[in-house]
Amino acid sequence: MSWETSNYNHVLKDFSHHLDLRDSRGELLLYSRSHRLRHTKATTLINAGAPIHVVQRYLGHLSPEMTMRYAATLASTAEREFLALAKIGRDGREIGMDRRDMLDLVQLDRRTDRILPNGYCLLPPTRSCDKGNACHGCDHFATDRTFLPDIQRQLAETQFLVATRQARHTERYGEPMSGTNVWMEQRDAEIRSTQLEILALEAQPADSTTVVRGAGGVLGHTGYQDAASASDSKGASRS
């Protein structure tokens, strides 16, 4: 004898009240909605590190794409929860870092090629970089005060390189290299971005963990106009 849906749901409802199983919020778990338990089991398996093909077979999915829906849901949920929580350091103070930047940083252990000697590259894993080592002018470049000595040293080395090339150019052609020279334009942009980063980092307390994100991350800091004017003056004197 076949049952109608209403009879089937009625039996499951009585069974649910008899077992009196409840979720974390104290609400009754209805077996007429038991498909939600399947979702919970799928995300739990994936979160525990079970291979996708194993979860696919366990759930009876015809394709791995169907199983990956649970993985995508898990990733988006984890990201939302991470961004919603305040991040507290060891001293009990809230960490002064953009939470999305921090989410990128804590995932760097899976892409060590993005850890730089003077900071971090926040470029998404699916994208590649064609800028070589021109990081200081890129908005995906992030650094903090712990890298200040390295950035100061890099600035000094770049300025020394420019001075050396200018001296050789003057010796050969009788005049310094023009500011419109492609190589000089790139070095000017690098020096300008580095000076702005140093200015922003030096303005922070010595124990600050605030992240400066590329040249674009320091444009609003106090003193930017002074640094920009100084950089422009140096460029004008060379042209």
Side-chain angles (χ1 to χ4, degrees), residues 106-215:
V106 297
Q107 295 175 341
L108 281 172
D109 60 338
R110 295 194 295 273
R111 42 193 177 112
T112 55
D113 58 317
R114 303 301 173 112
I115 301 177
L116 308 173
N118 52 10
Y120 307 94
C121 176
L122 302 182
L123 196 68
T126 56
R127 293 178 56 186
S128 58
C129 177
D130 59 355
K131 295 184 178 181
N133 60 353
C135 297
H136 292 284
C138 178
D139 287 338
H140 291 290
F141 173 69
T143 188
D144 57 37
R145 192 176 171 87
T146 60
F147 292 101
L148 182 57
D150 299 296
I151 297 175
Q152 291 172 327
R153 182 169 56 253
Q154 185 175 357
L155 173 61
E157 291 173 351
T158 303
Q159 290 173 327
F160 178 77
L161 175 62
V162 169
T164 302
R165 289 285 296 270
Q166 284 285 38
R168 292 178 180 175
H169 192 280
T170 302
E171 182 180 352
R172 176 174 297 183
Y173 299 104
E175 60 182 7
M177 190 182 303
S178 171
T180 58
N181 179 278
V182 175
W183 184 87
M184 183 59 70
E185 286 182 343
Q186 293 175 345
R187 299 293 77 72
D188 281 341
E190 182 180 345
I191 290 175
R192 176 186 175 92
S193 298
T194 307
Q195 288 174 331
L196 292 174
E197 288 170 4
I198 291 174
L199 183 68
L201 293 174
E202 288 180 337
Q204 299 172 5
D207 59 347
S208 174
T209 58
T210 300
V211 167
V212 171
R213 188 164 179 168

Side-chain angles (χ1 to χ4, degrees), residues 22-37:
R22 300 182 179 274
D23 59 19
S24 59
R25 295 176 296 182
E27 297 181 1
L28 185 68
L29 292 175
L30 297 177
Y31 273 79
S32 57
R33 301 177 181 175
S34 58
H35 190 75
R36 291 185 296 177
L37 300 178

Side-chain angles (χ1 to χ4, degrees), residues 96-109:
M97 179 188 298
D98 182 87
R99 294 177 185 177
R100 191 165 294 279
D101 285 346
M102 183 178 292
L103 177 62
D104 289 330
L105 290 177
V106 297
Q107 295 175 341
L108 281 172
D109 60 338

